[in-house]
Amino acid sequence: MFFLAPGRRPFLSTLVVACLVSHAASQEPTSFPSQNSVTDYAPSTNVECPDFSIQSQSLIRVFTPENQTLHPDEVSYVSQRASLVLQDAWQSWLGTNESKHGYNLPAFQGNYPKVGMAIPGGGLRAALYGAGCLSGLDARNDSAKAAGTGGLLQVTSYLSGLSGGSWITGSMYFNNWPTMDDMVLGNGGDMEGWLLDINLVSPDGVDLISDNNQAFFGSILWSIMAKAAQGIDTSLTDPWARMISYHFLNQTNRANFFTNDTAHGAGQLWSNIPLIPAYQQFQTPFPIIVADSRPVGSNLTTVLSPDSTVFEITPLELASYDPNLSAGMNLSRAGTHLSNGKAVNGSACVTGFDQAGFIMGSSASLFNVSSSRIPQFDQVFNSDMQQILDFARNTISEFSQSDGAAILYVLSRQLKEVRTRADDVANWPNPFNGIKNTTFQDSDEEWLELIDGASNQENIPYGPLFVRERGLDVIVTIEGSSDDPINNWPNGTGPLFSAKRQSTILRSSHQQFPPIPQDAQSFVDTGVNARATFFGCDPTQSPPEYPLVIYLPNAPPINGDDPVTNTATFTLSYTRKHQEIFLSQVHTNTISGFTPNANIPDPNFGTCLQCAAIDRGRFKVTPNIARSAICKQCFQQYCFDPENPPSRSELPGRKQVFVDPDPQGLGKVDNFFTKNMSALIGGLVGLVVFLGFLIGGLFWWRKRKSARQQAYKRVNDFHEDDAPWQRYSDHPHEETYEMPTHRSSLS
């Protein structure tokens, strides 16, 4: 496994527990030398800034929507990857067999399309769906390569992630670009996988004061106290970020989970991604993480308006290509308070603020949408927490009761130990203070309040991939969203909101979205939310006025099996068996495409996916290359035509309701009743019939017996006075034993 930090000496467990039971006044540390410990989560302050008088050393990059610029190191990386890696990757994927897809590759003259991939939010479900889908697009996977779909990942130039999609994105890079199965499930050697059977927020179960849970919470809080001791405000995003790090970064395994034998990802920086071997060898796309910005001081707990600023975080900078800002800041100095591009504190800058876990946590910081408390934890709340959590909707209540309790428990301890400014957001010192003060919403503020990247209802991180200057030709959507409130399937909400925002607010800065169904119900009615679909197949201009979008949604198994992938966003643990079946179902769907009106894979889907990926390359040469006959046939099946839309009726036999493949506890009972409902109903009907016969027989028997007893009574009445028991009725015996007492109360 790849590590960015050297070895360390273990922490004493007593120090870990101490931060849970004492206040900052008596226990707060004053300095934290780097020792690859959990305290490496603390940024370094008072680091000498670059010489701001030298233009090349400026921390801020400003541009306009009409004259966009990219970070020069981004341009260099993408260009070098294209020349050194992508040419061979395209040829390896498409092959030299013209009969396969109908194209003579040399005719493209090396002008291959620029491809980006987007992995949306949705917690662990989105991360698992991303892994399963990417395995079906990865040339290192044998079945994907055989199907013809494996190879698309290798020709990709950009990869964007949001919320749960940011977790898998970070995990791929900080584990040095492993195969998906090794990354999630482990390789039996130096990688143990994501350990998703261990709960994200209460790893030792529902008993929050168990020794292991206390050690875990203590380690989390010790990291946050170290950050706060450097004078940097924290929030609930910080413990959330540390919890994410235990699973998705590279220093945690089963043996050390409840110890401080490693830093559990503390000290691993997003700006250090360029030091990762796979990145240095240009084996990876350029990564981008998306987070939304809540207007400072608004305290909004509702969906953000479309004009709220959207930020992207790359290994190089924190930036926004929204027209209202159009600026970027050197990520390695994030955490530094700037005003008009210069450090407020003279020549003192901050480094180490861009913790990998904090980047992923910022993109998934969803705690501003909240309302009610978990009743049994009312006693831990003070006025600060009530202000944070008492709002119109309750995000934390979406978690299971035990998971929500763990989150609130950690927050309550955090508020007692350190002071925070805005507890329900990710607090970033604002590097754009004084920049674009006529258009940027927070130009006058000292802080940025970053929250979950889907807070404006754009759950798919399309924004960075549609930036005009990046010039992407093909955008692959790894769609693991949960839009349907009943069965947790996507219904097009994300693309619809992105298309609307790009056609209005981002019209001057971003490419337009291709034609898609007009609303969520149309996504469902046409069936494009449940099978592979290509949007934008037939542009009317050259070069095309929009990119081609390959849409790969989470959907029921095509063969009619029970679905296991449509889990709730706030599910915070998965058994090993569930993970394996989850990945298998997604992988199979990804490489299978669909056959209309059937439940079998499309044997030509690999070719059709290649047709979609290469299609924009036809416009890059003069004269334009005609679309091949094979690809025309593929596009008739997979392209969305708004004038002749498809129908969901072409997808028969797809089961919609989630079935737990590995129920635990009471879930086993629920699963038993669900799976055997027909048999149970049949048995119940049989039992009712049997009871009917039995009751009828009893009535007949009682009637017959009653007639016989009447005859007996007439005889017995003559001898009743001589009955022997009558002689003892006046002298009953007292009971001589005592009733036994219960050993424990029944109350």
Side-chain angles (χ1 to χ4, degrees):
M1 186 178 295
F2 176 72
F3 292 90
L4 290 180
R8 66 169 298 276
R9 57 189 187 189
F11 250 173
L12 294 175
S13 60
T14 54
L15 285 178
V16 177
V17 177
C19 73
L20 281 169
V21 297
S22 60
H23 291 283
S26 59
Q27 296 291 332
E28 188 174 281
T30 56
S31 64
F32 297 91
S34 178
Q35 53 182 351
N36 191 19
S37 77
V38 295
T39 60
D40 289 346
Y41 186 69
S44 298
T45 56
N46 297 317
V47 177
E48 185 174 358
C49 291
D51 186 349
F52 295 116
S53 65
I54 302 175
Q55 181 63 32
S56 62
Q57 296 189 31
S58 173
L59 297 181
I60 298 293
R61 200 171 55 81
V62 180
F63 47 91
T64 67
E66 295 76 18
N67 295 289
Q68 289 177 333
T69 60
L70 303 175
H71 192 288
D73 289 350
E74 174 188 335
V75 175
S76 175
Y77 181 84
V78 173
S79 175
Q80 290 188 71
R81 173 167 161 77
S83 60
L84 298 175
V85 175
L86 296 190
Q87 292 286 324
D88 291 341
W90 275 104
Q91 293 175 25
S92 176
W93 183 34
L94 299 183
T96 57
N97 185 359
E98 183 176 338
S99 63
K100 183 179 180 182
H101 42 65
Y103 290 121
N104 176 25
L105 288 186
F108 287 88
Q109 303 173 24
N111 294 300
Y112 296 113
K114 186 181 289 187
V115 180
M117 287 188 178
I119 308 178
L124 295 181
R125 182 200 63 253
L128 280 170
Y129 182 77
C133 194
L134 289 177
S135 75
L137 306 176
D138 190 344
R140 297 171 295 178
N141 185 283
D142 291 339
S143 61
K145 189 171 184 178
T149 57
L152 180 55
L153 177 60
Q154 277 65 34
V155 302
T156 299
S157 294
Y158 285 93
L159 180 65
S160 65
L162 179 159
S163 196
S166 75
W167 303 351
I168 178 178
T169 301
S171 192
M172 285 190 284
Y173 287 86
F174 285 92
N175 286 285
N176 199 30
W177 206 248
T179 63
M180 299 302 113
D181 279 354
D182 285 355
M183 181 175 67
V184 178
L185 301 174
N187 61 6
D190 61 345
M191 295 182 67
E192 288 202 28
W194 286 349
L195 305 176
L196 297 187
D197 57 302
I198 301 177
N199 189 280
L200 199 69
V201 298
S202 56
D204 196 37
V206 298
D207 182 5
L208 300 184
I209 59 173
S210 71
D211 289 344
N212 281 340
N213 271 338
Q214 287 291 293
F216 174 72
F217 297 145
S219 179
I220 295 292
L221 292 171
W222 197 246
S223 295
I224 299 163
M225 291 171 66
K227 180 177 179 177
Q230 297 297 86
I232 298 177
D233 286 344
T234 63
S235 71
L236 184 53
T237 301
D238 289 283
W240 183 234
R242 294 296 295 128
M243 292 169 178
I244 294 167
S245 300
Y246 273 64
H247 294 268
F248 292 97
L249 297 183
N250 60 38
Q251 291 184 307
T252 305
N253 55 44
R254 292 187 190 278
N256 70 22
F257 200 99
F258 297 104
T259 74
N260 286 310
D261 293 339
T262 75
H264 299 291
Q268 296 185 8
L269 306 180
W270 203 259
S271 58
N272 280 345
I273 285 179
L275 301 180
I276 294 173
Y279 187 97
Q280 292 183 326
Q281 297 162 11
F282 301 99
Q283 296 299 311
T284 74
F286 187 77
I288 306 175
I289 301 303
V290 172
D292 289 345
S293 179
R294 183 178 74 177
V296 174
S298 67
N299 295 321
L300 284 173
T301 59
T302 57
V303 172
L304 293 180
S305 64
D307 59 351
S308 294
T309 306
V310 175
F311 284 93
E312 61 174 53
I313 307 168
T314 76
L316 306 173
E317 61 183 357
L318 168 72
S320 176
Y321 285 82
D322 286 9
N324 62 7
L325 180 53
S326 298
M329 188 263 186
N330 186 316
L331 187 67
S332 67
R333 297 297 191 274
T336 304
H337 284 280
L338 300 179
S339 180
N340 293 307
K342 296 183 179 180
V344 173
N345 189 18
S347 61
C349 279
V350 173
T351 60
F353 182 86
D354 59 309
Q355 298 281 326
F358 187 65
I359 302 301
M360 297 186 289
S362 295
S363 182
S365 184
L366 37 62
F367 304 104
N368 66 302
V369 185
S370 175
S371 69
S372 61
R373 301 189 298 273
I374 295 178
Q376 66 270 37
F377 277 83
D378 277 350
Q379 65 268 25
V380 305
F381 287 92
N382 55 28
S383 60
D384 296 312
M385 295 187 70
Q386 291 178 15
Q387 181 181 0
I388 300 166
L389 299 168
D390 292 346
F391 296 122
R393 276 180 70 210
N394 185 3
T395 290
I396 289 181
S397 70
E398 297 292 335
F399 292 95
S400 71
Q401 190 174 61
S402 58
D403 293 340
I407 294 171
L408 297 180
Y409 174 79
V410 173
L411 178 58
S412 71
R413 300 306 309 172
Q414 180 183 356
L415 288 174
K416 292 175 187 289
E417 300 294 342
V418 299
R419 181 60 257 157
T420 63
R421 57 169 303 277
D423 303 288
D424 57 338
V425 301
N427 292 306
W428 286 64
N430 182 11
F432 306 111
N433 179 276
I435 304 295
K436 302 289 183 72
N437 54 20
T438 60
T439 57
F440 177 44
Q441 64 186 21
D442 290 323
S443 178
D444 295 332
E445 303 296 339
E446 294 183 2
W447 292 86
L448 296 177
E449 297 183 354
L450 299 192
I451 57 177
D452 189 275
S455 298
N456 64 354
Q457 300 194 66
E458 290 187 279
N459 193 47
I460 303 171
Y462 281 132
L465 305 182
F466 278 84
V467 168
R468 287 190 184 277
E469 188 63 19
R470 289 192 170 115
L472 268 69
D473 302 297
V474 180
I475 296 175
V476 183
T477 309
I478 313 298
E479 171 62 304
S481 300
S482 169
D483 304 320
D484 168 17
I486 299 175
N487 291 316
N488 297 319
W489 299 114
N491 66 12
T493 296
L496 287 164
F497 274 93
S498 290
K500 182 177 181 180
R501 191 168 189 265
Q502 285 165 215
S503 66
T504 54
I505 295 170
L506 305 182
R507 194 169 189 83
S508 63
S509 56
H510 290 61
Q511 294 191 72
Q512 295 304 291
F513 217 89
I516 58 176
Q518 62 183 357
D519 53 39
Q521 189 58 52
S522 297
F523 261 84
V524 175
D525 292 342
T526 57
V528 298
N529 74 315
R531 48 89 156 178
T533 302
F534 309 152
F535 296 114
C537 296
D538 297 302
T540 60
Q541 302 174 17
S542 182
E545 63 270 34
Y546 41 67
L548 187 150
V549 173
I550 298 173
Y551 189 70
L552 303 175
N554 187 15
I558 63 171
N559 64 358
D561 281 352
D562 291 329
V564 306
T565 64
N566 54 325
T567 49
T569 295
F570 295 93
T571 300
L572 296 186
S573 65
Y574 289 76
T575 66
R576 171 84 180 200
K577 180 180 178 181
H578 192 172
Q579 294 174 64
E580 291 173 346
I581 299 175
F582 192 118
L583 293 174
S584 177
Q585 281 193 1
V586 176
H587 177 90
T588 300
N589 267 11
T590 301
I591 67 175
S592 297
F594 80 104
T595 299
N597 304 306
N599 295 100
I600 58 175
D602 175 9
N604 298 315
F605 180 61
T607 297
C608 292
L609 190 65
Q610 294 173 5
C611 286
I614 193 65
D615 193 71
R616 286 298 193 264
R618 300 186 301 108
F619 298 89
K620 294 179 178 291
V621 295
T622 304
N624 293 167
I625 299 172
R627 184 174 288 161
S628 71
I630 295 173
C631 289
K632 285 181 180 178
Q633 184 176 350
C634 282
F635 278 28
Q636 287 178 355
Q637 179 170 331
Y638 286 97
C639 286
F640 172 75
D641 180 0
E643 301 300 323
N644 185 28
S647 172
R648 188 176 186 83
S649 63
E650 296 178 352
L651 307 174
R654 269 67 161 178
K655 296 181 180 179
Q656 301 295 314
V657 180
F658 169 78
V659 176
D660 190 342
D662 191 21
Q664 305 295 303
L666 291 176
K668 292 184 178 180
V669 178
D670 294 337
N671 195 51
F672 171 80
F673 281 111
T674 300
K675 285 188 172 182
N676 298 279
M677 186 61 68
S678 297
L680 289 170
I681 291 174
L684 183 61
V685 171
L687 179 61
V688 170
V689 172
F690 170 75
L691 289 175
F693 280 114
L694 180 62
I695 292 170
L698 286 173
F699 274 116
W700 175 82
W701 179 78
R702 288 186 64 184
K703 184 176 181 180
R704 186 169 181 270
K705 181 179 179 182
S706 177
R708 294 179 60 185
Q709 284 180 335
Q710 289 297 324
Y712 171 80
K713 185 175 185 302
R714 287 193 295 269
V715 174
N716 189 61
D717 286 343
F718 291 104
H719 304 281
E720 186 69 28
D721 293 337
D722 295 330
W725 54 82
Q726 291 291 336
R727 293 195 288 266
Y728 300 96
S729 60
D730 294 333
H731 307 281
H733 292 281
E734 294 183 3
E735 293 180 350
T736 59
Y737 62 90
E738 296 180 1
M739 294 291 292
T741 58
H742 290 286
R743 296 185 178 181
S744 61
S745 172
L746 296 177
S747 60

